Amino acid sequence: MHATLRDAPTPLTRSVEDYLKVIYHLSSQGGFASTSDIAAMLEVAPPSVSGMVKRLSETGLIEHVPYRGVQLTNQGRRAALRMIRRHRILEVYLTQQLGYDWDNVHEEAERLEHAVSDELIERMAGALGDPHYDPHGAPIPTPGGEIEEAELITLADAPVDGVLELRQVNDDDPARLRYLADQGLTPGTRLTVLERQPFNGPTTVRIGAATRVVGRELALALWCRGVQA
Amino acid sequence: MHATLRDAPTPLTRSVEDYLKVIYHLSSQGGFASTSDIAAMLEVAPPSVSGMVKRLSETGLIEHVPYRGVQLTNQGRRAALRMIRRHRILEVYLTQQLGYDWDNVHEEAERLEHAVSDELIERMAGALGDPHYDPHGAPIPTPGGEIEEAELITLADAPVDGVLELRQVNDDDPARLRYLADQGLTPGTRLTVLERQPFNGPTTVRIGAATRVVGRELALALWCRGVQA
DNA sequence: GGCGCTGATTAGCCTAGCCTAATTATGAGA
DNA sequence: TCTCATAATTAGGCTAGGCTAATCAGCGCC
């Protein structure tokens, strides 16, 4: 039998699920998630993290190297990916079936992800035709725990003259999401980098027939894939 | 401005919401809900109820008469009806939009009702055309906190020769719900009471062209309204 | 009117998660 | 190598919401 995201040996608390998700995101690039970064992301005090880290490593969900940070075990990673699948399926469902906008699904999904059953998530996924990406372009883990790892670069790092496809946008600021939707900057959009001002200045891109100047901060929130012209 | 079920002055905990729902159901007929009945319904020990009762009356959600029981205040009743609306809208949504059966929606709704926002509930209600009854025939409170109080009698109490419409079925036993669905005994069904055996014996009814014998226990779970023949 | 059963309450304890204040480890730079 | 800022941890406390054991109130029955 193959392990799937459905395994739920001991039901996890809401709080534990949140810690695992945050640790997943923080350790996805480098190796370790630090106590203070976890605390900042969850908006709790660092000693609260130390306490939870102790409990999580006792249950085998994370590995803790004192004064270095933590990493997910395989078990912890599966639990985290299960939450991420739930969150992203919920976001797609709320936007496609219930008229939510892509800038206000996050909060709702954040609460629901702890309450839904695996069955409900799979029914939603089925009703949506098993989507592969959430509304912001983030890949949705499969029920088996696989997740696409695309090599994306931000628009701020894209080479001049490159032809790009916008694949994913950061969803951490609703106002930015509204602005992006307004500008038609949604996943799938093709754009050509025309020039970039020196000293981390704005990037000028062509989108279809139009030309836009994108400031560095915004450009850092736009993840793209290179495209054969 | 009119008070609505959307008021949420202080967000309530999951546990508090459960207590209020149970107290609502227990005190809907008689006046007071007893400590031990609440404890039985929530599957907690009686002292846990005493403790929570103290907190709930301090926050003004219930009124406590020591050694007698508790009653909801208006504020508590509104909070309870809000949860009941959520629960019943969720049940309709899960059955109508996501293929759940009427015997397995309860558990899912029980968890989701604490996590959904008012906005999501109203979006679901809108997508369903603002239903008035849940899948088991129970009336859905309005967003304003009104709930239909129909005078229903159980099939076990229905007079012989009466013509009835089945309006609502108890949803506390999934196996019974499956049986009822199998027998076509769903809300809206017309039936005629043909006879009843003495000493609380079974009731014989005609449903369309068919005749069925319904045992007392089952008959007590079927709530009906008299109909002009 | 008093006995005793039942049900409610109080006393005291536990766990999960949070907090602040105090302490300790790490590692960069003099 | 030593110092010191920063980050992490420990110490100790708080609340919500459970629990068991012990006590107390209400009331039916003799």
Side-chain angles (χ1 to χ4, degrees):
Chain A
M1 200 197 126
H2 199 75
T4 77
L5 294 188
R6 296 176 183 231
D7 297 340
T10 310
L12 305 177
T13 66
R14 198 207 142 101
S15 179
V16 165
E17 290 172 343
D18 283 337
Y19 273 87
L20 294 177
K21 267 201 334 178
V22 158
I23 293 168
Y24 176 88
H25 289 304
L26 287 174
S27 59
S28 60
Q29 324 288 350
F32 287 89
S34 75
T35 298
S36 46
D37 285 352
I38 297 169
M41 295 266 284
L42 289 171
E43 302 184 84
V44 298
S48 306
V49 175
S50 287
M52 180 60 90
V53 158
K54 189 147 171 263
R55 289 189 288 273
L56 292 181
S57 36
E58 277 164 5
T59 37
L61 290 161
I62 63 175
E63 216 132 354
H64 180 213
V65 182
Y67 293 96
R68 282 280 294 284
V70 299
Q71 270 184 321
L72 295 173
T73 61
N74 283 337
Q75 191 196 342
R77 186 177 352 272
R78 269 194 293 118
L81 284 167
R82 174 162 167 269
M83 296 314 293
I84 291 166
R85 174 172 173 80
R86 290 162 166 245
H87 184 94
R88 293 182 180 168
I89 293 286
L90 281 163
E91 288 199 341
V92 180
Y93 193 88
L94 293 171
T95 52
Q96 306 235 318
Q97 305 285 330
L98 286 161
Y100 276 74
D101 297 313
W102 78 339
D103 59 287
N104 67 356
V105 282
H106 182 79
E107 194 198 359
E108 189 83 47
E110 199 70 27
R111 274 177 288 103
L112 289 173
E113 65 188 10
H114 305 289
V116 293
S117 67
D118 292 318
E119 177 181 357
L120 178 52
I121 287 300
E122 297 319 318
R123 280 183 189 269
M124 286 181 166
L128 296 164
D130 289 308
H132 289 81
Y133 301 96
D134 82 4
H136 318 100
I140 298 177
T142 65
E146 313 285 319
I147 186 168
E148 176 195 303
E149 313 242 347
E151 285 181 19
L152 303 179
I153 55 171
T154 72
L155 181 57
D157 301 318
V160 172
D161 287 333
V163 181
L164 307 169
E165 189 186 51
L166 179 57
R167 291 299 310 149
Q168 189 174 344
V169 304
N170 283 7
D171 66 348
D172 45 22
D173 181 354
R176 182 170 60 213
L177 286 172
R178 280 191 294 276
Y179 175 77
L180 289 175
D182 188 55
Q183 299 288 310
L185 281 164
T186 52
T189 303
R190 293 291 172 107
L191 24 88
T192 308
V193 179
L194 300 180
E195 63 170 329
R196 178 171 302 112
Q197 301 302 320
F199 308 115
N200 290 329
T203 303
T204 306
V205 295
R206 189 170 56 235
I207 307 169
T211 298
R212 303 210 178 291
V213 180
V214 179
R216 176 170 166 86
E217 193 180 316
L218 186 56
L220 281 170
L222 305 178
W223 295 85
C224 306
R225 187 171 58 99
V227 161
Q228 324 297 10
Chain B
M1 196 197 130
H2 197 77
T4 77
L5 294 189
R6 296 174 185 235
D7 298 337
T10 310
L12 305 178
T13 66
R14 199 206 140 101
S15 179
V16 166
E17 289 172 343
D18 283 337
Y19 272 89
L20 294 178
K21 265 200 339 178
V22 158
I23 293 167
Y24 176 88
H25 289 304
L26 286 174
S27 59
S28 61
Q29 324 288 351
F32 287 89
S34 75
T35 298
S36 46
D37 285 353
I38 297 169
M41 294 265 284
L42 289 171
E43 302 185 86
V44 298
S48 306
V49 175
S50 286
M52 180 59 90
V53 158
K54 188 147 171 261
R55 290 189 287 274
L56 292 181
S57 37
E58 277 163 6
T59 36
L61 290 161
I62 64 174
E63 216 132 355
H64 180 212
V65 182
Y67 293 96
R68 284 280 293 284
V70 299
Q71 269 183 322
L72 295 173
T73 60
N74 283 337
Q75 190 196 344
R77 187 178 349 274
R78 268 194 294 117
L81 285 167
R82 175 163 166 269
M83 296 313 293
I84 291 166
R85 175 171 173 79
R86 290 162 164 242
H87 184 95
R88 293 182 180 167
I89 292 286
L90 281 163
E91 289 200 340
V92 180
Y93 193 89
L94 292 171
T95 51
Q96 304 235 319
Q97 305 285 330
L98 285 162
Y100 275 74
D101 296 312
W102 76 341
D103 60 289
N104 67 354
V105 282
H106 183 79
E107 193 198 0
E108 189 83 48
E110 199 71 28
R111 274 177 287 104
L112 289 173
E113 64 187 11
H114 305 290
V116 293
S117 66
D118 292 318
E119 177 182 358
L120 178 53
I121 287 300
E122 298 318 319
R123 280 183 190 270
M124 286 181 167
L128 296 165
D130 289 307
H132 290 80
Y133 301 95
D134 82 3
H136 318 101
I140 299 176
T142 65
E146 314 284 321
I147 185 168
E148 177 194 302
E149 312 243 348
E151 286 182 17
L152 303 179
I153 55 170
T154 71
L155 180 57
D157 301 318
V160 172
D161 285 333
V163 180
L164 307 169
E165 189 186 52
L166 179 58
R167 292 298 310 148
Q168 188 174 344
V169 304
N170 284 7
D171 66 349
D172 45 22
D173 181 353
R176 182 169 59 212
L177 287 172
R178 281 192 293 278
Y179 176 77
L180 290 174
D182 188 57
Q183 299 287 310
L185 281 165
T186 52
T189 303
R190 294 291 173 106
L191 23 90
T192 308
V193 180
L194 299 181
E195 62 170 327
R196 178 171 302 112
Q197 301 304 319
F199 307 115
N200 290 331
T203 303
T204 306
V205 295
R206 191 170 52 236
I207 308 168
T211 298
R212 302 209 180 292
V213 180
V214 179
R216 177 172 167 85
E217 193 179 316
L218 187 55
L220 281 170
L222 305 178
W223 295 85
C224 307
R225 185 171 58 98
V227 161
Q228 324 298 8

